């Protein structure tokens, strides 16, 4: 029974892991992945020659940290609001609607972005900023905000529902007792709800930290419409690897960057889990 | 407790207002592309995309449906095809892997579980995967490229399915079926799967989303536009303004002549809307499973 799945995982996941050795090879299409000659660390040397490497690693990490912090705060706030909404019907309706952005592909998100921000026909330039239109797709300074906004817009519903699931699992007698003691709603949130969310917050944050060297390729490539002038603020490890591999055909540098991503990603998952295990065994992932 | 009529507290109203604003924020952006797709082309060129256009027109849609959008309709069919085939295969493989994993009497259970779990911790990444799929398996420019890489099995889904099996299906049921002489295949198919319908629906819908929304496999492995799914067409149309006109030109004649007549500003948005519709139609039927799935999956990590 498990044969098809095992074979698939070996091919789809395990062979590429072994393929990471490419980072130390001088790739040659004639010899392929396994037989290309070794060339030590020279791919990495090339990778770190320009400023690209530091820039993309910094972008990836900084965006992720902002996403984690703001995303968690927003999701918890919405979950608490959702829980405070009286009536199951309105609760269901709100839940259903805030999930809609999560359902659609990032390509369609980029169309929405385009409809708002296009230079000639965008809604913002034509209806809101008629007198001094902004050339959004060539103005790097606004993109950190746009990308953070779009990320939060697309993901807050999903995360809120995870936190909401934890909130409805809290023993209701705790709230009843607090009510009798005359605790305000705010104090109840502060002293009952938030502490009960601790495990979920740690788990989700751990998972996000584990992915801190990864980015949503579509968000950073498709939404800014692959615009050259924006590259300083939109280049992440994933977009770099893609561009180096498929548009520049630079297997050496892209495999070196991919190697760093895989290894650092693994090390950081292991490390965060190790730290959590030391501090609080219950919350460790594995 | 208190017998007085429920007073509507100001706090509750404030919460409703906040939630309604959030919901509007989620919906309004879609309205812009929907309204733009039914705005007349000249109005679009003059006033841009707007929520309150001067003149409406269904021209973009008739343009696509009247045969000019051959590529678009074909891409739509491709998307449907890969979504159906991919989802069925994916659910089957997940069931087949998760069921033995849920059984306590499976020899080497921990090894098989770790085998799955490890794929979530460590990945080879794009470069080796790309080299493997294109050089060892030669899947470039084929429908297989849209179905197989990355999307067919998800470690997280396998673990969710396994947890569901082991926490909801009583062992006695399986034992009884074994005594009755049912083969393992039969037990999985006749007893386990019907009992797990909610989980199958949840993961099924998530997998459908994954396939319908996927554009990366197409971006990596497809260079021949005849294999494009609707997402790849959308991706190309946005990054490459010439794409739609050149696609139409090959069908209709001179490029310059066509480029002038193509209502590209509106057609773009109508294709985006068309790509959105199936998900929005399916969503109401699956939303309760999706929400449940997120709740189970999220809390368990």
């Amino acid at each position: 029974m498990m044969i098809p799945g095992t074979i698939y995982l070996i091919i789809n996941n395990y062979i590429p892991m072994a393929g990471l050795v490419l980072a130390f090879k001088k790739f040659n299409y004639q010899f392929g992945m396994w037989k290309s000659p070794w060339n030590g660390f020279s791919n990495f040397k090339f990778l770190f020659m320009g400023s690209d490497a530091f820039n993309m690693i910094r972008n990836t990490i900084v965006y992720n940290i902002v996403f984690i912090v703001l995303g968690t705060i927003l999701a918890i706030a919405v979950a608490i609001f959702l829980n405070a909404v009286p009536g199951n019907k309105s609760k269901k309706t709100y839940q259903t609607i805030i999930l809609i952005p999560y359902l659609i592909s990032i390509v369609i998100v980029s169309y929405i972005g385009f409809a708002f921000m296009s230079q000639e026909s965008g809604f913002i330039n034509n209806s809101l900023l008629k007198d001094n239109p902004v050339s959004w797709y060539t103005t790097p300074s606004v993109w950190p905000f746009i990308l953070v906004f779009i990320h939060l817009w697309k993901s807050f519903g999903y995360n809120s529902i995870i936190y909401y699931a934890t909130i409805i699992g809290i023993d209701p007698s705790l709230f009843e007792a607090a009510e009798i003691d005359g605790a305000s709603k705010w104090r109840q949130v502060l002293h009952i709800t938030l502490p009960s969310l601790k495990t979920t917050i740690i788990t989700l944050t751990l998972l996000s930290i584990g992915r801190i060297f990864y980015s949503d390729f579509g968000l950073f490539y498709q939404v800014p419409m692959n615009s050259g002038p924006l590259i300083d603020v939109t280049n992440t490890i994933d977009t770099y690897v893609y561009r180096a591999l498929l548009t520049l055909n630079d297997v050496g540098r892209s495999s070196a960057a991919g190697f760093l991503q895989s290894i650092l990603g693994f090390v950081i998952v292991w490390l965060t889990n190790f730290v959590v295990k030391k501090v609080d065994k219950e919350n460790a992932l594995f | 407790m208190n017998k007085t009529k429920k007073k509507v507290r100001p706090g509750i109203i404030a919460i409703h207002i906040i939630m309604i604003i959030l919901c509007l924020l989620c919906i309004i952006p879609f309205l812009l592309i929907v309204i733009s797709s039914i705005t007349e082309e000249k109005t679009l060129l003059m006033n841009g995309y707007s929520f309150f256009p001067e003149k409406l027109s269904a021209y973009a849609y008739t343009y696509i449906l009247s045969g000019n959008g051959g590529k678009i309709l074909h891409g739509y069919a491709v998307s449907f095809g890969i979504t159906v085939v991919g989802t069925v295969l994916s659910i089957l493989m997940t069931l087949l892997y998760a069921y033995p994993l849920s059984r306590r009497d499976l020899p080497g259970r921990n090894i098989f579980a770790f085998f799955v779990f490890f794929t979530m911790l460590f990945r080879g990444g794009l470069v080796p995967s790309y080299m493997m799929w294109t050089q060892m398996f030669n899947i470039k420019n084929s429908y297989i490229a849209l179905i197989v890489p990355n999307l067919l099995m998800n470690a997280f889904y396998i673990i969710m399915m396994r947890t569901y099996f082991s926490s909801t299906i009583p062992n006695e049921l399986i034992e009884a079926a074994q005594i009755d002489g049912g083969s393992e295949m039969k037990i999985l198919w006749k007893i386990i799967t019907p009992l797990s319908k909610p989980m199958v629906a949840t993961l099924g819908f998530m997998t459908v989303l994954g396939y319908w929304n996927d554009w990366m496999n197409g971006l990596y492995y497809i260079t021949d536009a005849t294999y494009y799914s609707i997402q790849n067409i959308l991706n190309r149309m946005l990054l490459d303004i010439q794409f739609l006109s050149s696609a139409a030109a090959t069908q209709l004649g001179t490029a310059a002549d066509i480029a002038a007549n193509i209502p590209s500003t509106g057609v773009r948005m109508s294709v985006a809307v068309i790509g959105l519709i199936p998900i929005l139609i399916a969503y109401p039927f699956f939303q309760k499973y999706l929400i449940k799935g997120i709740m189970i999956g999220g809390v368990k990590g």
Side-chain angles (χ1 to χ4, degrees):
Chain A
M1 262 191 213
M2 298 170 94
I3 292 170
T6 310
I7 292 176
Y8 180 74
L9 289 176
I10 288 176
I11 293 177
N12 189 65
N13 299 77
Y14 285 89
I15 293 181
M17 289 180 201
L20 282 172
V21 295
L22 253 182
F24 304 99
K25 289 184 166 211
K26 184 169 169 47
F27 184 73
N28 183 329
Y29 277 96
Q30 234 185 326
F31 301 129
M33 190 153 56
W34 311 115
K35 293 191 183 130
S36 290
W38 299 94
N39 71 345
F41 285 92
S42 59
N43 289 333
F44 293 92
K45 237 182 263 163
F46 276 116
L47 175 67
F48 284 102
M49 255 176 8
S51 61
D52 280 5
F54 294 104
N55 188 48
M56 80 195 177
I57 292 173
R58 183 204 62 196
N59 281 350
T60 313
I61 294 174
V62 173
Y63 274 117
N64 271 320
I65 291 174
V66 175
F67 289 168
I68 294 170
V69 173
L70 293 183
T72 307
I73 294 171
L74 181 67
I76 292 174
V78 174
I80 289 170
F81 288 141
L82 201 56
N83 186 50
V85 169
N88 273 332
K89 225 175 176 176
S90 4
K91 264 190 187 131
K92 280 264 148 63
T93 315
Y94 292 144
Q95 278 181 2
T96 305
I97 295 175
I98 58 174
L99 262 182
I100 291 177
Y102 168 75
L103 302 175
I104 59 163
S105 82
I106 199 80
V107 179
I108 292 186
V109 175
S110 64
Y111 273 76
I112 295 175
F114 182 78
F116 277 94
M117 296 182 293
S118 149
Q119 167 86 350
E120 306 87 36
S121 42
F123 172 73
I124 298 179
N125 280 357
N126 279 283
S127 302
L128 302 178
L129 303 174
K130 250 189 179 132
D131 301 321
N132 41 359
V134 177
S135 171
W136 297 99
Y137 288 98
T138 54
T139 311
S141 59
V142 295
W143 277 88
F145 300 98
I146 295 174
L147 292 171
V148 169
F149 180 81
I150 293 178
H151 172 85
L152 293 177
W153 178 77
K154 202 165 178 334
S155 63
F156 87 93
Y158 183 90
N159 291 325
S160 313
I161 287 175
I162 296 177
Y163 285 113
Y164 173 70
T166 315
I167 294 177
I168 55 176
I170 299 173
D171 183 358
S173 64
L174 289 176
F175 291 107
E176 280 157 24
E179 199 84 45
I180 291 166
D181 290 344
S184 68
K185 285 275 175 213
W186 172 242
R187 294 203 75 98
Q188 292 178 28
V189 165
L190 217 57
H191 295 290
I192 301 173
T193 316
L194 288 181
S196 320
L197 287 177
K198 197 179 107 193
T199 312
T200 314
I201 295 173
I202 292 175
T203 311
L204 290 186
T205 309
L206 261 184
L207 287 173
S208 318
I209 291 176
R211 313 248 330 129
I212 207 159
F213 291 102
Y214 292 85
S215 61
D216 178 350
F217 174 73
L219 179 66
F220 292 94
Y221 175 82
Q222 178 75 24
V223 176
M225 288 175 58
N226 193 18
S227 170
L230 303 179
I231 205 119
D232 277 344
V233 292
T234 58
N235 205 13
T236 61
I237 301 178
D238 295 274
T239 60
Y240 180 88
V241 170
Y242 170 76
R243 287 196 185 102
L245 178 67
L246 286 159
T247 53
L248 306 175
N249 211 357
D250 183 345
V251 179
R253 257 188 268 196
S254 63
S255 59
F259 179 86
L260 282 181
Q261 185 180 41
S262 294
I263 299 298
L264 291 175
F266 180 66
V267 168
I268 201 152
V269 172
W270 189 82
L271 215 65
T272 37
N273 193 64
F274 179 78
V275 171
V276 172
K277 228 180 198 166
K278 278 264 137 99
V279 178
D280 181 2
K281 214 162 182 196
E282 293 264 292
N283 289 323
L285 284 179
F286 53 90
Chain B
M1 305 250 260
N2 55 4
K3 283 178 201 153
T4 47
K5 263 192 304 179
K6 254 201 217 158
K7 265 191 296 179
V8 182
R9 284 189 321 215
I12 297 293
I13 295 176
I15 282 167
H16 271 296
I17 291 173
I18 292 170
M19 288 310 296
I20 288 169
I21 290 174
L22 281 173
C23 288
L24 287 177
L25 267 176
C26 288
I27 294 173
I28 285 175
F30 293 100
L31 276 184
L32 183 63
I33 60 170
V34 172
I35 293 172
S36 301
S37 75
I38 52 169
T39 304
E40 200 214 20
E41 185 71 10
K42 273 199 194 106
T43 315
L44 279 181
L45 291 177
M46 259 166 45
N47 302 336
Y49 299 118
S50 153
F51 289 100
F52 306 103
E54 277 166 24
K55 216 168 157 199
L56 295 177
S57 148
Y59 185 62
Y61 291 96
T62 51
Y63 176 84
I64 293 170
L65 294 174
S66 66
N68 292 313
K71 290 227 158 166
I72 291 160
L73 295 181
H74 183 257
Y76 211 52
V78 171
S79 280
F80 266 107
I82 59 162
T83 303
V84 171
V85 175
T87 306
V88 170
L89 281 178
S90 167
I91 291 296
L92 278 178
M93 284 174 66
T94 305
L95 283 170
L96 285 173
Y97 200 96
Y99 170 57
L101 210 53
S102 74
R103 290 275 297 270
R104 244 161 243 136
D105 49 347
L106 174 78
R109 187 170 180 241
N110 288 333
I111 297 171
F112 281 110
F114 183 77
F115 184 72
V116 173
F117 186 59
F118 190 68
T119 64
M120 303 207 304
L121 304 181
F122 190 58
R123 307 157 200 249
L126 173 63
V127 186
S129 306
Y130 178 82
M131 291 302 169
M132 178 188 71
W133 288 120
T134 54
Q135 305 235 300
M136 293 167 64
F137 294 98
N138 267 321
I139 61 161
K140 209 154 189 178
N141 288 324
S142 70
Y143 292 122
I144 293 176
L146 295 174
I147 296 175
V148 175
N150 275 329
L151 296 169
L152 210 47
M153 263 174 119
N154 180 323
F156 190 49
Y157 295 174
I158 298 174
I159 291 168
M160 275 171 79
M161 188 76 95
R162 181 212 56 187
T163 312
Y164 189 86
F165 287 160
S166 50
S167 62
T168 57
I169 293 165
N171 240 347
E172 296 80 53
L173 201 64
I174 298 170
E175 279 160 16
Q178 278 172 328
I179 292 165
D180 288 346
S183 68
E184 290 293 354
M185 222 35 161
K186 222 172 182 174
I187 295 174
L188 170 61
W189 196 239
K190 290 268 162 72
I191 298 171
I192 312 287
T193 310
L195 283 174
S196 314
K197 265 190 202 142
M199 201 60 198
V200 172
T202 304
L203 297 183
F205 184 65
M206 288 180 164
T207 312
V208 164
L209 278 183
Y211 274 105
W212 184 267
N213 287 341
D214 182 66
W215 58 289
M216 311 235 297
N217 278 346
L219 186 73
Y220 300 152
Y221 304 114
I222 308 286
T223 49
D224 174 355
T226 48
Y227 293 99
Y228 273 174
S229 71
I230 190 79
Q231 304 288 345
N232 298 124
I233 291 177
L234 281 167
N235 162 35
R236 276 291 296 277
M237 262 173 50
L238 195 62
L239 298 185
D240 175 3
I241 302 166
Q242 302 299 317
F243 178 70
L244 191 67
S245 36
S246 65
T250 50
Q251 287 174 340
L252 289 170
T254 62
D257 171 40
I258 303 300
N261 289 320
I262 285 179
S264 59
T265 330
V267 165
R268 271 186 175 173
M269 291 303 155
S270 64
V271 182
V273 171
I274 289 176
L276 199 74
I277 286 173
I279 295 295
L280 293 187
I281 290 177
Y283 180 47
F285 299 101
F286 286 92
Q287 53 100 356
K288 86 169 182 232
Y289 296 117
L290 181 68
I291 290 174
K292 264 215 187 92
I294 296 172
M295 287 180 167
I296 299 169
V299 177
K300 292 258 163 64

